Amino acid sequence: MTLSGRAAITGLGETRFASGATRNPLALALEAVQKAADDAGIAVEDIDGIVRYSIDGSANDQILHQNLGMKDLSFSVEIPYYGGSGAAAVGAAAAAVHSGLARNVVVYRAFTLSDMTHFAKRNSATVWAMQGGVADFMRPYGWLSMMDTYALTYETHRAKYGTTTEQLGAIAVAIRKAANRNPNAILRDVPLTLEDHARANPVSGRLVVDDVTLSDCEGAAAVIVSSVEQARDGRHRPVVILGAAAGLGPDPSLNWEMHLFKDDPTVSPAHYVAPKVFGMAGVSPADIDVAQIYDCATVNVLLQLEDYGFCAKGEGGSFVENGNVELGGALPITTSGGMLAEASIHGFNHVIEGAKQIRSTSTSQVDDAELCLVTSSVPTPTSAVILGTDRGGSR
């Protein structure tokens, strides 16, 4: 049995993305879900399945059930981890639809800074257990955040392969250009050039941060997953789920610090997810028209381009140069502006953008896009989906 071609994204919903945190996470979630149902052409009470990130603090399934007025909730599941959850959540929804456990499954993520703060308070014991006491030995030496891990991952890649900060800048510029075309991106009016990026180079002693911090934002995104047959009767071009996979690889690290202690930190869990997701879809990296690569840091984009097979390990730096990952290049990436420039919604805005590309409604539309890879965060446990056009339908 396979999930390939058995389910489709039939509805898309997203709120306005904005800096700050003025709205209630539940209100954001309900708005995104309502918009997704309207887009799918169904009533919210016809939603009978919910898949959510386990870290989402907007509501539990019962509160959503009550507020949406659902007739019957027959399927509900939570996907663990942070940014690694998005594609896996879509895969779980597809599995529920294919197995007959539900007909219309909503998958969503609502994000505010207060939501993340409350999550940390509610789950401090769990988080500490996942860290395995590593923090005791690392925090006193200034290893305080995931950005420290990303920086050291880049230093490893640079030492092994000669990767430059200018090459990371090419990734940032490509993604920012996409955001500048997207009216819902937080940094839509903030251009970025390679020269701007170079002036923020840590070698010069300046911080690599924007005036706007996307982690301090609010917004929500949701999709409805239904059968392909239902999608064919819907109001939009079907967005078929052709492949879905998740995993940790043979050397799992449940906490982001320990990733640096692997034999090769430049290899992420995406290396092990890639053959599964491409195998299920029956396609290769060369077939992908556009990719929504999870982009909490530019070096993570670089690792994934290599680990998903778009170029060999160590060649990611040269692959992203000369506009190759911009609109019009060989592989346009993260065409909404992503985490770096649209909004920090733990990658679920990447799912929305992937579906828009297949519908041909993106603000950075790739001509004749038929296959889109959507990835979730590394170096944490990760996941990916491949979205495509309806190969068996009439449209």
Side-chain angles (χ1 to χ4, degrees):
M1 295 182 65
T2 177
L3 290 178
S4 184
R6 304 296 186 179
I9 293 176
T10 55
L12 308 178
E14 58 187 339
T15 67
R16 180 181 65 91
F17 299 139
S19 58
T22 61
R23 297 186 62 188
N24 181 281
L26 175 58
L28 288 167
L30 293 172
E31 178 184 340
V33 172
Q34 179 68 66
K35 287 181 174 179
D38 291 344
D39 187 60
I42 65 172
V44 287
E45 56 262 32
D46 291 329
I47 297 171
D48 57 354
I50 297 173
V51 182
R52 59 195 295 272
Y53 290 51
S54 62
I55 65 169
D56 193 283
S58 61
N60 59 36
D61 53 3
Q62 293 176 336
I63 293 175
L64 280 175
H65 181 281
Q66 294 165 358
N67 278 271
L68 292 171
M70 296 166 59
K71 294 177 182 177
D72 182 29
L73 179 62
S74 59
F75 179 80
S76 177
V77 67
E78 295 183 352
I79 304 297
Y81 309 115
Y82 294 76
S85 304
V90 175
V97 169
H98 177 40
S99 64
L101 293 175
R103 294 183 64 250
N104 298 297
V105 181
V106 66
V107 190
Y108 78 97
R109 173 73 172 112
F111 186 99
T112 68
L113 186 61
S114 61
D115 167 47
M116 287 299 294
T117 302
H118 292 158
F119 161 74
K121 291 178 180 178
R122 290 193 309 271
N123 297 276
S124 58
T126 301
V127 172
W128 190 260
M130 287 176 61
Q131 300 297 76
V134 171
D136 284 342
F137 300 94
M138 305 179 107
R139 300 295 182 266
Y141 295 95
W143 199 328
L144 303 176
S145 72
M146 294 187 77
M147 287 303 166
D148 299 315
T149 297
Y150 302 151
L152 290 171
T153 301
Y154 163 70
E155 290 297 332
T156 305
H157 203 280
R158 179 192 61 79
K160 292 187 69 170
Y161 304 113
T163 311
T164 67
T165 55
E166 289 80 10
Q167 290 167 334
L168 297 186
I171 295 171
V173 168
I175 293 173
R176 185 68 63 87
K177 285 182 178 180
N180 295 156
R181 291 186 287 265
N182 178 2
N184 200 30
I186 292 178
L187 297 185
R188 59 189 175 275
D189 297 322
V190 185
L192 179 70
T193 66
L194 282 174
E195 292 74 22
D196 295 332
H197 187 273
R199 283 192 292 271
N201 191 317
V203 175
S204 67
R206 297 182 60 185
L207 295 175
V208 186
V209 293
D210 275 303
D211 293 333
V212 178
T213 302
L214 290 190
S215 293
D216 184 13
C217 77
E218 65 175 27
V223 300
I224 304 292
V225 176
S226 313
S227 69
V228 172
E229 290 74 22
Q230 182 172 325
R232 289 170 181 162
D233 293 332
R235 57 180 61 175
H236 301 288
R237 184 184 194 185
V239 179
V240 181
I241 299 166
L242 298 175
L248 290 79
D251 185 21
S253 293
L254 294 180
N255 52 333
W256 34 266
E257 295 102 332
M258 292 304 293
H259 172 74
L260 269 297
F261 296 94
K262 292 182 176 181
D263 290 340
D264 187 354
T266 69
V267 176
S268 77
H271 173 78
Y272 305 100
V273 170
K276 293 187 285 187
V277 71
F278 285 116
M280 181 183 290
V283 300
S284 72
D287 298 318
I288 300 297
D289 300 305
V290 56
Q292 310 306 324
I293 306 294
Y294 193 97
D295 59 323
C296 55
T298 51
V299 69
N300 288 21
V301 175
L302 193 80
L303 297 187
Q304 291 176 83
L305 289 171
E306 295 173 346
D307 290 339
Y308 280 104
F310 295 107
C311 57
K313 179 58 65 179
E315 295 179 1
S318 58
F319 182 83
V320 302
E321 292 179 316
N322 303 315
N324 198 47
V325 292
E326 296 182 12
L327 188 64
L331 182 71
I333 64 167
T334 316
T335 49
S336 68
M339 295 275 287
L340 288 176
E342 183 186 32
S344 178
I345 312 294
H346 270 138
F348 209 70
N349 44 334
H350 294 60
V351 176
I352 296 282
E353 177 64 14
K356 287 180 178 179
Q357 284 287 349
I358 301 303
R359 285 185 176 184
S360 297
T361 59
S362 170
T363 54
S364 290
Q365 184 61 46
V366 174
D367 292 339
D368 302 318
E370 295 187 354
L371 289 172
C372 180
L373 172 70
V374 182
T375 74
S376 294
S377 182
V378 297
T380 61
T382 192
S383 56
V385 293
I386 293 176
L387 307 178
T389 54
D390 184 9
R391 300 171 178 179
S394 58
R395 287 197 279 179

